[in-house]
């Protein structure tokens, strides 16, 4: 984008937020709409052991993938990942760390589903949101983990009582009333007297949550620093007591850690763009034998995933993508997640990842997904509609530049040149030089290449039907809008003909 009319977009509006040095970084991931997800997939209540073991397996994969994660704690549909204090992972860029972690976790969840639910189809895409919080010392990290474990105990004890009451014949409302105002000892007595259950005999994984780390020593009491010093190859999952205490009264002791969680919100009346890029995509495309310079099927898979994003998130009004990236524009006044940056960024990245994986077999029926795809993302804010349009034009200009270069490069390589020779031949060439090279050496007119390769893909809603319904004595006009994908120039003429896209 350098030396172009759109250079100002990057220079004036794109900033990298870096997390402060000498702080422990925690990435906390939570399932989105998991109440519905668990109902659709008939998870056992109050705890589904297979679902929890799936979460633990995903957490284990996270530690295998990212060496700087030294400890993880999970309960129900959430997991917290602790990065070592001195980590320089992604140069401590907040958006990259958050999006990559939530995307990889999502990818592993979908990929490992069949290992834990061999007789259950994945009926809808699971996705997660997340946040990044910095803690200044070991005490606050330990108190944060203790807070999550106390929360695990409180929620699990309540849910154990609640679902046993429901299964015994009470309505959900009656079960809630029976438990209203009860303390921990009251619930223990209820379980013992009515159901002959000693709560302490319940699985530790249900009562205490799960810890994942690299160490032979099961005692967390020494200090977190031991986890970064005593790395071993064997990863263990265990359920241990981080706190030594339990009960609602103990929760208050640790709730001060919530003040470290700063929810950055997008300024009002600003356009929000979430830009998603595949991570380590060169290796991924090589592993899965994608065609060079463009794999049409892979691009159509990206477009299908983007279309599903618009169907799931009504506030996304436009998507633009090429190669391994996609940008999603939210309407100016969106209140998604009350405009919390981390939740918008993480849920979009996770959801796109989930769609990509679940749609894989539709586009590659004869190709197994060998390794998990994962994406990184950043969230951008623009105060004016014109700047949003210029941002999208800048991405299309990048699409043209990259695709023209790659087309020449791979044609040269396929003709017998080494990759180094091809780079040398193209070094310093202009657009017209590349067009001439393609035409003279390969009899290829670049402008006749598929528009999807040259211009990228635009995804948006278009009105396809208008009809009248009778409601009582009134005729109500209804509209039906479908998501479409086009491969066109994103100039002013495009927006002039489709003013409704950004004004919805």
């Amino acid at each position: 984008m350098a030396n172009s009319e759109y250079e100002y977009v990057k220079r004036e509006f794109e900033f990298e937020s870096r997390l402060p040095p000498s702080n422990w970084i925690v990435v906390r991931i939570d399932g989105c709409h998991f109440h519905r997800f668990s109902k659709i997939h008939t998870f056992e209540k109050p705890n589904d052991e297979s679902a929890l073991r799936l979460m633990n397996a995903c957490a284990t994969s996270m530690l295998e993938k990212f060496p700087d994660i030294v400890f993880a704690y999970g309960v129900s549909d959430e997991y917290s990942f602790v990065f070592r204090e001195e980590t320089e992972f992604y140069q401590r860029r907040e958006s990259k760390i958050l999006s990559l972690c939530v995307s990889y976790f999502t990818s592993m969840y979908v990929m490992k589903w069949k290992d834990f639910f061999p007789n259950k189809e994945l009926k809808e895409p699971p996705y997660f949101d997340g946040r990044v919080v910095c803690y200044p010392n070991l005490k606050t990290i330990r108190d944060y983990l203790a807070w999550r474990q106390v929360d695990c105990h409180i929620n699990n004890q309540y849910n154990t009582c609640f679902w046993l009451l429901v299964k015994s014949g009470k309505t959900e409302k009656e079960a809630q009333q029976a438990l209203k105002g009860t303390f921990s000892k009251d619930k223990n007595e209820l379980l013992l007297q009515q159901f002959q259950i000693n709560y302490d005999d319940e699985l530790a994984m249900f009562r205490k949550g799960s810890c994942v780390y690299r160490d032979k020593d099961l005692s967390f009491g020494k200090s977190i620093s031991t986890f970064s010093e005593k790395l071993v190859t064997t990863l263990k999952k265990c359920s241990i007591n981080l706190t030594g205490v339990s009960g609602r009264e103990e929760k208050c002791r640790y709730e001060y850690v919530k003040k470290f969680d700063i929810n950055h919100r997008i300024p009002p009346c600003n356009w929000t763009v979430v830009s998603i890029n595949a991570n380590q995509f060169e290796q991924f495309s090589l592993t899965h034998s994608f065609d060079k310079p463009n794999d049409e099927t892979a691009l159509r898979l990206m477009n299908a995933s983007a279309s599903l994003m618009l169907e799931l998130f009504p506030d996304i009004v436009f998507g633009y993508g090429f190669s391994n990236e996609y940008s999603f524009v939210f309407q100016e006044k969106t209140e998604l997640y009350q405009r919390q940056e981390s939740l918008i960024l993480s849920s979009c990245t996770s959801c796109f990842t989930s769609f990509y994986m679940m749609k894989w077999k539709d586009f590659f029926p004869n190709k197994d997904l060998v390794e998990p795809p994962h994406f990184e993302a950043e969230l951008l804010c623009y105060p004016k509609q014109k700047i949003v349009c210029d941002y999208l034009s800048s991405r299309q200009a990048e699409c043209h530049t990259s695709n023209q270069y790659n087309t020449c490069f791979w044609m040269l390589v396929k003709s017998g040149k080494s990759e180094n020779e091809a780079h040398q031949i193209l070094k310093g060439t202009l657009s017209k030089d590349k067009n001439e090279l393609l035409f003279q050496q390969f009899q290829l007119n670049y402008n006749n290449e598929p528009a999807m390769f040259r211009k990228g893909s635009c995804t948006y809603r278009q009105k396809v039907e208008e009809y009248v319904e009778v409601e009582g004595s009134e005729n109500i006009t209804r509209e039906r809008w479908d998501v479409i994908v086009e491969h066109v120039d994103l100039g002013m003429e495009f927006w002039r003909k489709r003013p409704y896209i950004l004004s919805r």
Side-chain angles (χ1 to χ4, degrees):
M1 195 165 64
N3 302 318
S4 77
E5 59 183 302
Y6 309 118
E7 187 180 324
Y8 82 95
V9 177
K10 186 175 183 68
R11 185 180 64 246
E12 297 180 18
F13 296 100
E14 297 181 19
F15 305 100
E16 292 179 350
S17 174
R18 296 177 189 266
L19 298 167
S22 301
N23 273 248
W24 295 84
I25 297 170
V26 173
V27 175
R28 178 174 153 194
I29 294 172
D30 291 271
C32 284
H33 307 296
F34 254 62
H35 180 76
R36 168 190 159 85
F37 183 84
S38 62
K39 189 174 182 179
I40 288 173
H41 294 94
T42 59
F43 284 2
E44 293 287 335
K45 298 292 187 182
N47 295 288
D48 189 296
E49 187 175 351
S50 295
L52 292 174
R53 288 194 295 111
L54 171 56
M55 291 287 287
N56 291 339
C58 296
T60 300
S61 295
M62 290 282 285
L63 268 76
E64 290 173 336
K65 177 71 174 176
F66 305 117
D68 280 6
I69 296 176
V70 295
F71 189 80
Y73 175 74
V75 52
S76 185
D77 63 342
E78 78 167 58
Y79 241 102
S80 297
F81 297 95
V82 181
F83 283 78
R84 64 187 181 88
E85 185 180 16
E86 310 86 3
T87 183
E88 283 300 322
F89 184 56
Y90 267 99
Q91 295 78 51
R92 300 178 76 94
R93 287 180 289 175
E94 182 176 1
S95 63
K96 301 292 187 183
I97 293 173
L98 174 60
S99 58
L100 189 55
C101 283
V102 76
S103 178
Y104 193 77
F105 191 92
T106 305
S107 200
M108 294 310 303
Y109 193 95
V110 177
M111 206 162 191
K112 288 180 176 290
W113 175 268
K114 276 295 181 186
D115 295 345
F116 295 89
F117 295 102
N119 301 315
K120 234 178 230 187
E121 288 298 320
L122 194 54
K123 295 178 181 178
E124 68 173 37
Y127 67 106
F128 301 81
D129 60 41
R131 63 194 72 214
V132 178
V133 186
C134 286
Y135 295 101
N137 52 49
L138 286 170
K139 181 182 183 303
T140 51
I141 279 287
R142 289 202 44 186
D143 286 353
Y144 166 80
L145 293 167
W147 171 55
R148 298 318 306 142
Q149 189 172 60
V150 170
D151 212 42
C152 166
H153 161 71
I154 292 170
N155 291 334
N156 184 67
Q157 191 185 42
Y158 180 96
N159 290 334
T160 302
C161 294
F162 176 84
W163 286 107
L164 281 168
L165 287 168
V166 170
K167 290 173 182 178
S168 72
K170 292 191 181 294
T171 65
E172 292 191 7
K173 188 173 184 180
E174 287 171 338
Q176 287 171 345
Q177 284 300 314
L179 294 171
K180 190 175 181 181
T182 56
F183 293 99
S184 181
K185 64 181 180 62
D186 303 322
K187 297 184 184 74
N188 280 342
E189 288 176 10
L190 182 151
L191 290 171
L192 192 60
Q193 292 174 6
Q194 292 195 37
F195 304 104
Q196 295 74 52
I197 289 176
N198 184 333
Y199 182 71
D200 290 337
D201 291 338
E202 291 289 286
L203 282 180
M205 180 167 63
F206 300 165
R207 294 180 291 111
K208 299 181 180 182
S210 299
C211 305
V212 183
Y213 58 97
R214 310 175 189 89
D215 203 327
K216 293 179 182 178
D217 186 358
L218 296 184
S219 171
F220 185 65
K222 296 177 181 177
S223 76
I224 288 181
S225 61
T226 62
F227 296 113
S228 56
E229 292 167 1
K230 298 181 180 179
L231 301 186
V232 294
T233 56
T234 303
L235 298 174
K236 293 187 178 180
K237 295 179 289 292
C238 59
S239 297
I240 57 175
N241 196 328
L242 294 169
T243 66
V245 293
S246 61
R248 188 173 298 277
E249 62 277 6
E250 296 297 334
K251 188 176 179 181
C252 297
R253 181 194 305 181
Y254 305 113
E255 284 199 326
Y256 80 94
V257 299
K258 291 196 287 189
K259 70 182 180 182
F260 294 97
D261 186 1
I262 302 169
N263 292 320
H264 295 289
R265 297 180 189 270
I266 301 162
C269 300
N270 270 248
W271 294 86
T272 302
V273 175
V274 175
S275 173
I276 296 175
N277 291 268
N279 184 268
Q280 298 175 338
F281 197 72
E282 186 62 34
Q283 177 60 44
F284 181 83
S285 62
L286 188 65
T287 300
H288 295 93
S289 307
F290 284 0
D291 291 336
K292 299 291 186 181
N294 295 287
D295 189 298
E296 185 176 352
T297 305
L299 292 174
R300 288 193 293 112
L301 170 56
M302 291 285 286
N303 291 338
S305 304
S307 297
L308 291 170
M309 290 287 286
L310 268 74
E311 291 177 11
L312 183 65
F313 296 103
D315 282 6
I316 296 177
V317 294
F318 190 79
Y320 175 75
F322 70 96
S323 184
N324 63 336
E325 76 166 62
Y326 237 101
S327 295
F328 296 99
V329 180
F330 285 79
Q331 62 162 301
E332 184 182 16
K333 296 180 180 178
T334 181
E335 284 299 323
L336 180 66
Y337 287 114
Q338 293 78 51
R339 299 179 75 89
Q340 292 182 56
E341 287 186 25
S342 62
L343 300 186
I344 293 174
L345 178 78
S346 56
S347 62
C348 284
T349 314
S350 175
C351 201
F352 190 87
T353 305
S354 203
F355 284 142
Y356 189 93
M357 293 200 67
M358 291 191 70
K359 282 286 180 183
W360 176 269
K361 276 297 180 183
D362 292 350
F363 292 88
F364 294 104
N366 301 315
K367 204 177 272 191
D368 288 332
L369 196 53
V370 178
E371 64 180 49
H374 47 291
F375 299 82
E376 59 190 62
E378 58 183 333
L379 187 145
L380 310 166
C381 282
Y382 302 111
K384 296 179 181 178
Q385 189 177 117
K386 179 187 182 302
I387 304 172
V388 175
C389 294
D390 283 352
Y391 164 80
L392 293 168
S393 293
S394 75
R395 300 318 303 146
Q396 189 167 62
E398 179 66 24
C399 169
H400 162 71
T401 302
S402 299
N403 185 67
Q404 190 184 41
Y405 183 96
N406 289 334
T407 302
C408 293
F409 175 82
W410 286 107
M411 291 296 289
L412 288 167
V413 170
K414 289 174 182 179
S415 72
K417 301 287 185 188
S418 69
E419 293 191 7
N420 188 51
E421 288 172 333
H423 282 306
Q424 287 299 316
I425 290 169
L426 294 172
K427 190 175 181 180
T429 56
L430 303 177
S431 180
K432 63 180 181 63
D433 302 325
K434 297 184 184 74
N435 280 344
E436 288 176 8
L437 182 151
L438 290 171
F439 191 72
Q440 291 175 6
Q441 290 196 37
F442 305 106
Q443 295 73 55
L444 190 153
N445 185 333
Y446 181 72
N447 292 326
N448 290 337
E449 287 291 283
M452 180 166 61
F453 301 166
R454 295 181 291 110
K455 299 180 179 183
S457 301
C458 304
T459 308
Y460 60 96
R461 297 178 189 86
Q462 182 171 275
K463 186 165 71 174
V464 294
E465 184 182 6
E466 189 173 290
Y467 56 96
V468 175
E469 282 187 351
V470 178
E471 289 189 5
S473 59
E474 294 184 21
N475 291 334
I476 308 296
T477 301
R478 306 286 190 195
E479 297 175 345
R480 185 167 70 86
W481 295 68
D482 283 352
V483 176
I484 67 166
V485 179
E486 287 190 323
H487 316 291
V488 293
D489 291 319
L490 280 175
M492 292 307 297
E493 187 66 12
F494 175 87
W495 301 111
R496 188 186 66 78
K497 289 182 177 179
R498 304 165 182 82
Y500 55 86
I501 293 177
L502 297 181
S503 62
R504 278 173 58 82

